[in-house]
Amino acid sequence: MNLYYENLYENIIKESFEKYDVLNVISGYASASFVNLVLNDFPNKEINLYIGMAQQGISKEDHYKFCEICKQYPNVNIYYQTEDVPTHIKALEFTNNNNEYKKLYIGSANFSETGFMKHREVMTAVNDSLEVKLREQYKISTSCTNPTILKHINLIDQNHFESGLELLNKNKNKRRKIDKCIEEFNKKNNIHFNKHNNGSLEYLSLPIIIKDTHYDETSIYQYKSQNFVFHSHLQRKKMVDYFKRNHVFTIKTFINKKTSVELKGTFGKELYFYDFDFYDLVKDVINKPRDQVLTNDDLKEFGYNSFYFKKINDKEFLMTLHNNNEI
């Protein structure tokens, strides 16, 4: 089995079209400019392209170019998947008109310039047939030139794509900055994640949000009129033993914010933050709008689901974030 990491266009498309007349493609995404590139080199070949992630939207520019391509080249058919679960397969099957000889490639590259020419991708030739998958894909797809296609597919302006990418990159950059901030804070303060430390007199790990099915964990209290970390009776003893009740102490967070804190409530289940809105702080850290409820899915995506406290003395504590799988 040969693996292809470089020169995918030359090694797969150009080389295969010297031997075969038909190319059937299933690809999560595709670009009209890449289809045009292939057709400029091989204008007489037949291409059947199925775009499996089309239900997420097709750029307006690509859509109209796809339609133009199909009109200009009678041997080219471009389909958008309009039903069922989105398809993220990347597979290219070369064959002859008699369907007698075939060559199948699968891997990570979408049918686009970024997939075949810019990104680091891998493809491999396999001894198999795409025939069954092609029939399945045909049944759940619609031609891009179908008069009703825009009832099934949203066209997205390219500027919207670019702003979305900018936002994604911004969020990724913020995540990297937060990771770095936490890493430096932990290193500077000699904070170590260790299952033997958890629940000791020096360290305490508490989940940020109550699990959906078991009310036995900590949570940021999700009401704007209140600003405390709440937990159940099963966690109460840990909190009381660790923080002590009815006295004010200081917590320094991983973003170097300090706040006065007090463990209060009838059963000692409420950890009050006096100097800033802790609820909004966590949302700001993970890019969650303040008017929305924080969920476990948010934290899972962000990569941190727990507080981790280190006691300096009875009046001073440090607080960082971590994933509870680390301890």
Side-chain angles (χ1 to χ4, degrees):
M1 180 174 67
N2 293 326
L3 294 176
Y4 299 87
Y5 296 100
E6 299 176 346
N7 303 317
L8 299 184
Y9 184 73
E10 290 76 11
N11 290 331
I12 294 177
I13 293 180
K14 280 191 172 183
E15 184 175 314
S16 298
F17 263 149
E18 291 179 1
K19 305 174 184 177
Y20 301 97
D21 300 316
V22 180
L23 170 58
N24 296 310
V25 182
I26 300 177
S27 182
Y29 303 93
S31 68
S33 56
F34 186 68
V35 176
N36 267 323
L37 173 66
V38 176
L39 290 170
N40 285 336
D41 289 339
F42 305 98
N44 298 317
K45 301 295 185 179
E46 178 182 337
I47 298 177
N48 300 296
L49 169 61
Y50 297 87
I51 303 176
M53 302 296 289
Q55 293 172 94
Q56 293 188 352
I58 296 287
S59 83
K60 186 182 297 184
E61 181 180 356
D62 272 334
H63 170 68
Y64 290 115
K65 286 184 178 179
F66 283 144
C67 292
E68 290 175 7
I69 289 169
C70 291
K71 291 177 182 178
Q72 183 179 352
Y73 297 91
N75 289 334
V76 175
N77 300 290
I78 299 174
Y79 302 92
Y80 301 156
Q81 182 174 327
T82 52
E83 301 176 27
D84 216 327
V85 177
T87 300
H88 205 249
I89 294 170
K90 289 95 170 180
L92 292 80
E93 184 179 73
F94 293 88
T95 183
N96 290 317
N97 287 319
N98 57 16
N99 212 31
E100 184 176 354
Y101 300 102
K102 297 180 180 181
K103 188 69 175 288
L104 175 62
Y105 295 88
I106 60 173
S108 65
N110 281 306
F111 201 68
S112 64
E113 295 100 324
T114 53
F116 272 77
M117 296 177 167
K118 297 180 181 179
H119 286 175
R120 299 175 68 182
E121 308 281 359
V122 61
M123 300 291 287
T124 186
V126 295
N127 185 23
D128 209 328
S129 172
L130 199 61
E131 185 176 354
V132 173
K133 281 297 175 186
L134 287 169
R135 286 201 300 266
E136 291 177 0
Q137 202 65 30
Y138 181 80
K139 290 179 181 179
I140 59 176
S141 299
T142 304
S143 171
C144 69
T145 60
N146 188 298
T148 66
I149 190 62
L150 296 185
K151 293 182 179 180
H152 306 284
I153 298 297
N154 292 322
L155 297 185
I156 302 175
D157 187 82
Q158 189 64 30
N159 291 331
H160 178 84
F161 267 138
E162 291 172 357
S163 63
L165 289 173
E166 288 174 2
L167 179 61
L168 180 62
N169 289 332
K170 180 180 178 182
N171 289 344
K172 286 182 177 178
N173 289 336
K174 184 171 183 180
R175 170 63 194 274
R176 284 194 288 267
K177 288 180 181 178
I178 292 170
D179 287 344
K180 185 68 174 176
C181 182
I182 291 174
E183 180 183 347
E184 291 179 353
F185 180 82
N186 294 345
K187 184 176 181 180
K188 179 180 178 181
N189 294 286
N190 199 27
I191 296 175
H192 303 288
F193 301 130
N194 188 307
K195 64 182 179 180
H196 299 296
N197 289 338
N198 186 24
S200 69
L201 294 179
E202 185 179 5
Y203 291 97
L204 180 65
S205 173
L206 294 171
I208 294 175
I209 296 180
I210 294 175
K211 290 182 178 179
D212 294 335
T213 55
H214 301 288
Y215 295 95
D216 60 357
E217 305 217 13
T218 304
S219 171
I220 298 173
Y221 201 72
Q222 307 245 19
Y223 296 95
K224 292 295 292 179
S225 60
Q226 305 291 338
N227 187 31
F228 58 86
V229 173
F230 170 86
H231 69 95
S232 74
H233 289 286
L234 293 180
Q235 294 283 5
R236 180 178 65 83
K237 190 175 187 305
K238 285 184 182 179
M239 296 278 277
V240 171
D241 289 345
Y242 188 73
F243 292 114
K244 312 302 179 185
R245 294 178 63 183
N246 300 320
H247 80 107
V248 177
F249 49 91
T250 299
I251 287 180
K252 181 180 180 181
T253 72
F254 63 94
I255 56 173
N256 288 320
K257 274 184 175 286
K258 283 188 176 182
T259 178
S260 296
V261 182
E262 185 175 0
L263 187 63
K264 298 173 64 176
T266 305
F267 300 102
K269 296 194 299 181
E270 299 161 7
L271 191 62
Y272 279 80
F273 289 74
Y274 286 112
D275 300 307
F276 57 82
D277 191 323
F278 193 81
Y279 180 65
D280 284 343
L281 171 67
V282 175
K283 285 189 172 184
D284 290 344
V285 166
I286 70 169
N287 283 328
K288 180 80 172 180
R290 290 187 175 185
D291 61 348
Q292 295 182 16
V293 174
L294 196 65
T295 68
N296 276 301
D297 286 340
D298 294 326
L299 299 178
K300 183 177 181 181
E301 181 178 351
F302 187 65
Y304 298 101
N305 58 18
S306 298
F307 308 113
Y308 197 67
F309 297 93
K310 179 179 180 179
K311 178 185 286 190
I312 306 302
N313 54 57
D314 284 344
K315 292 187 176 182
E316 295 179 281
F317 295 82
L318 302 172
M319 188 193 76
T320 186
L321 297 179
H322 81 108
N323 189 317
N324 64 8
N325 293 327
E326 296 175 356
I327 62 173

